[in-house]
Amino acid sequence: MDNIAGTRSSLVWAVHLAVLALVLLWTLPTVGLLVSSFRDRDQIAATGWWAALFPAEERMVVRLAGAGEQRQEGDLWVVEGDLIEEGTLNRFGTSARAPFAHAAGETGELANGGRVKVEADGSYRAEAAQPFGERGPRLFVAVDTAPRFTTANYERVLFAEGIGRAFLNTMTVTIPATIIPILVAAFAAYALAWMEFPGRALLIAAVVGLLVVPLQLALIPLLQLHNAVGIGKDYLGIWLAHSAFGLPLAIYLLRNYMVGLPREIIESARVDGATDFQIFVKIILPLSFPALASFAIFQFLWTWNDLLVATVFLSNTPEQLVMTGVLRELLGSRGGDWEILAASAFVSIAVPIVVFFAMQRYLVRGLLAGSVK
Amino acid sequence: MDQLMMAGGTIVVGVFGCVAYFFAANLILDAVYPAKGPRAGANISRASAIRPWLFLLPAILLLGIYLVYPVFVSIWLSLRDASGEEFVGLANYEWLVNDSKFRESIRNNFLWLLVVPAASTFFGLVAAALTDRIRWGNLAKALIFMPMAISFVGASVIWKFIYDYRGEGREEIGLLNAVIEALGGTEQTWLAIPFWNNFFLMAVLIWIQTGFAMVILSAALRGIPEETVEAAVLDGASPLQIFLRIKVPQIWGTIAVVWTTITILVLKVFDIVLAMTNGQWGTQVLANLMFDWMFRGNDAGRASAVALVIMVLVTPIMIWNIANARKETR
């Protein structure tokens, strides 16, 4: 027992290290994609994002100048030129079998029997006994390029890949789908919390039950219903659907919160002759602001991030495709173009993350009210 | 821009409509049963019997049409053929039982159910216990919680980048393969390894849900009465003993809530599988299978049958939740 202080301090260190490890595990995936979204396309393919600050070795295939630029020196045909615009040339090679056989400054043999000497700055001199062809010989080069960071990926996805339009579409879906259920739920929650009527307990139980009904069940019947009443696949349909799907949680959260409000306030207002409508608008709504805010954040995150409901209730056209939908299509069609995917993903997760960090307090409160109680 | 105007217009119309409805309904009710005159008493009691239903009506309508009605239509559709025209009895369910993709989905869903809630709760509990002890705990918590804000599709992009595979002779740019290479292993196409690829998909959901578990469990841990911990310290219990024997038993209820909440989410998991493998290489799950039959198979009958299987799996949790809620309201 003589080293209690010692064990404690080593334990504290262990805790710090463990938390650090957890935090790294939980942030590195996102950081990796974020870094990649600002990297040059060729550099993403050349090195991992963790090496973004170091020169990347890019490998490419270039052609020497052809017959158009050759000149004759004695009995040799000669072409000269520069292979790269920037960076340092490391290695080069003349055949696909040994693409990087020679270091810079060495001389390699060309397929036509000639020789080529390439310097580190990319300048070269090739000579051969026969004239060069119309197209110059192929050369494989490995070039070290300085780290390049760019916002070009973002410009490209916003304006050329449809993300900009999808951003607007997502806003169009999200804002009404967040605001409308709040109002509907607030009235219902007040009735379930503070009004006496037969069947109240049953309705509360029903709301709790509806909390977990899988959306999958609702898709086909509702799509058929929307088509039957003429809404079809349009924004009105998805606003209604999102509002309804968010209602159980909204009612549940708000009712739990409203029940906790002090009874005296409401009863003294009743004694003073206030109607339920007045009590609701003037007392309950302002007092319930924290609960309203937490639900609003939930619903916002959920509708913004949703893919399923948007895929089913909106069409696949550029006018209606939301960001998650575009992302999913890009994953399919441009699976390897990480600069596009990374930038698109970050455009789509930027707004929720800002909302998340700005309103975290309310989000946590809502989570606790929704599950601990 | 037109669209945002339209959305703005909808908000105004929607909000105004809602307010107008509630306001007008109340006004009419007060006009029909005025709280004065010879029959004021009877009028008041009648009005207050009706008013709750005025408050509830829009919610009941929306819930009824969008959540209750579909359950019955789904049952009805699941007994009919692809286009819903002909009654086929239990043929869709018969097909389900014999379909290899359905069996694969059930197996995978059970794997998800076993692993994801357990792992998320475990990591959440560890993170909650550890971050409460250090000064920068709140920052750590915010960072671990952050994936909650990221969409499943966004998270799928993030993780697909980690699992990226370039093949022999090319520089690996996926973190996992780079680490494996640095440790002297060989690169793998992680998402195409049968059976184990399921776990690589689960990692995404665990990554998202740990923050949720952490936040709730951390609040529960803070709610534990100090005296119990102090008594244990006086009795010479080690920190680990205090955590496992004193703290955890006191928050079993909260752990159960976290566990079931994540379980429900797991049963509906869809975006991650759709975006990362689309159910190939043996990773199909029920929700994605349902989506497949709805959109690519164009078979409302089979899709509804799969959806109902998900519903049946959720039902025990639903009943448990209702029972708990009723206990509290009493």
Side-chain angles (χ1 to χ4, degrees), chain A residues 26 165 169 187 217 226 235, chain B residues 3 11 22 66 74 207 216:
Chain A
W26 257 258
R165 179 67 209 240
N169 295 347
F187 277 96
L217 212 54
H226 279 178
Y235 285 109
Chain B
Q3 238 170 269
I11 298 172
F22 288 116
Y66 279 84
S74 287
W207 180 72
I216 290 178

Side-chain angles (χ1 to χ4, degrees), chain A residues 11 15-16 18-20 22-23 25-27 29-30 32-33 36 44-50 59 165 168-169 171-172 175-176 179-180 183-184 187-188 190-192 195-198 201-205 207-226 233 235 237 239-241 243-245 247-248 251 255 275-277 280 301 305 307-308 311-312 319 324 327-328 331 338 341 345 348-349 352-353 356-357 360 363-364 367-368 371-373, chain B residues 1 3-4 6-7 10-11 14-15 18-19 22-23 26 30 48 51-53 55-56 58-60 62-63 65-71 73-74 77 123 126-127 130-131 133-134 136 140-154 156-162 164 166 169 171-175 178 206-208 210-212 215-216 219 239 254 257 261 264 268 270-271 274-275 287 290-291 294-295 300 303-304 307-308 310-311 314 318 321-322 325-326 328-329:
Chain A
L11 197 71
V15 168
H16 278 284
V19 174
L20 191 69
L22 273 177
V23 167
L25 256 173
W26 257 258
T27 47
T30 321
L33 203 69
S36 298
I44 292 180
T47 53
W49 58 267
W50 49 89
R59 297 173 169 188
R165 179 67 209 240
L168 283 186
N169 295 347
M171 295 271 267
T172 312
I175 299 170
I179 294 177
I180 293 173
L183 212 65
V184 173
F187 277 96
Y190 174 73
L192 291 175
M195 292 165 119
E196 291 291 339
F197 60 93
L202 203 68
L203 276 181
I204 296 173
V207 168
V208 174
L210 290 178
L211 270 175
V212 301
V213 168
L215 282 189
Q216 277 80 10
L217 212 54
L219 302 179
I220 301 176
L222 289 179
L223 195 58
Q224 290 180 348
L225 183 75
H226 279 178
K233 286 189 165 195
Y235 285 109
W239 290 330
L240 286 172
S243 302
F245 296 152
L247 264 187
I251 298 176
R255 193 201 87 93
T275 65
D276 275 311
F277 189 71
F280 174 75
L301 290 179
N305 289 338
L307 171 68
L308 182 60
T311 315
V312 174
E319 288 78 38
T324 47
L327 258 189
R328 183 205 147 199
L331 262 178
W338 284 109
L341 283 171
S348 90
I349 63 184
I353 290 208
F356 172 82
F357 279 115
Q360 205 181 2
L363 186 69
V364 170
L367 276 180
L368 296 179
S371 30
V372 174
K373 272 197 177 170
Chain B
M1 273 302 141
Q3 238 170 269
L4 281 186
M6 185 173 81
T10 314
I11 298 172
V15 170
C18 280
V19 173
F22 288 116
F23 194 74
N26 268 284
D30 287 335
S48 58
R51 190 165 281 116
W53 299 103
F55 274 54
L56 284 165
I60 290 180
L62 268 178
L63 288 178
I65 296 173
Y66 279 84
L67 284 170
V68 180
Y69 156 84
V71 176
V73 178
S74 287
L77 279 174
F123 284 121
V126 169
L130 293 181
T131 50
R133 292 161 155 264
I134 56 177
W136 54 289
K141 260 189 206 151
L143 289 174
I144 296 176
F145 194 27
M146 184 203 63
M148 271 287 277
I150 297 177
S151 62
F152 287 152
V153 190
S156 301
V157 175
I158 290 174
W159 281 81
K160 223 175 168 183
F161 191 43
I162 288 189
D164 188 63
R166 317 275 292 181
E171 185 89 10
E172 290 296 340
I173 61 168
L175 188 59
I206 296 170
W207 180 72
I208 294 176
T210 295
F212 161 76
V215 164
I216 290 178
T254 314
V257 169
T261 310
I264 295 167
K268 303 185 217 169
F270 150 79
D271 315 38
L274 178 76
M290 183 266 163
F291 187 81
M294 177 179 176
F295 273 104
S304 299
L308 278 167
I310 304 176
M311 179 74 201
V314 172
M318 186 195 255
N321 276 354
I322 293 177
R326 291 191 71 112
E328 275 163 28
T329 36

Side-chain angles (χ1 to χ4, degrees), chain B residues 68-206:
Chain B
V68 180
Y69 156 84
V71 176
F72 297 103
V73 178
S74 287
I75 296 174
W76 185 79
L77 279 174
S78 76
L79 302 174
R80 303 179 84 83
D81 66 354
S83 55
E85 276 159 11
E86 236 168 283
F87 182 79
V88 292
L90 294 175
N92 288 324
Y93 294 95
E94 227 168 87
W95 161 82
L96 267 191
V97 177
N98 295 315
D99 184 54
S100 65
K101 266 293 181 189
F102 176 74
R103 289 185 181 176
E104 175 192 315
S105 309
I106 287 277
R107 182 202 70 180
N108 289 343
N109 263 100
F110 271 104
L111 277 180
W112 281 75
L113 280 180
L114 282 179
V115 175
V116 176
S120 307
T121 314
F122 172 76
F123 284 121
L125 192 58
V126 169
L130 293 181
T131 50
D132 276 346
R133 292 161 155 264
I134 56 177
R135 217 174 306 146
W136 54 289
N138 279 338
L139 175 70
K141 260 189 206 151
L143 289 174
I144 296 176
F145 194 27
M146 184 203 63
M148 271 287 277
I150 297 177
S151 62
F152 287 152
V153 190
S156 301
V157 175
I158 290 174
W159 281 81
K160 223 175 168 183
F161 191 43
I162 288 189
Y163 297 142
D164 188 63
Y165 170 79
R166 317 275 292 181
E168 287 288 317
R170 296 171 70 193
E171 185 89 10
E172 290 296 340
I173 61 168
L175 188 59
L176 188 57
N177 272 327
V179 169
I180 295 284
E181 226 183 6
L183 295 177
T186 44
E187 314 94 315
Q188 305 279 337
T189 46
W190 301 104
L191 292 178
I193 305 171
F195 186 71
W196 298 107
N197 50 7
N198 283 301
F199 295 92
F200 297 122
L201 296 188
M202 290 176 207
V204 184
L205 193 57
I206 296 170

Side-chain angles (χ1 to χ4, degrees), chain A residues 39-47 54-62 84-92 100 140-148, chain B residues 171:
Chain A
R39 292 183 81 199
D40 181 87
R41 175 194 167 88
D42 297 328
Q43 294 208 328
I44 292 180
T47 53
F54 304 105
E57 191 188 73
E58 281 171 34
R59 297 173 169 188
M60 41 196 170
V61 180
V62 290
I84 53 174
E85 284 161 17
E86 52 169 330
T88 322
L89 192 141
N90 274 341
R91 308 190 68 79
F92 71 98
F100 306 104
F140 299 86
V141 293
V143 182
D144 269 350
T145 49
R148 276 198 301 270
Chain B
E171 185 89 10

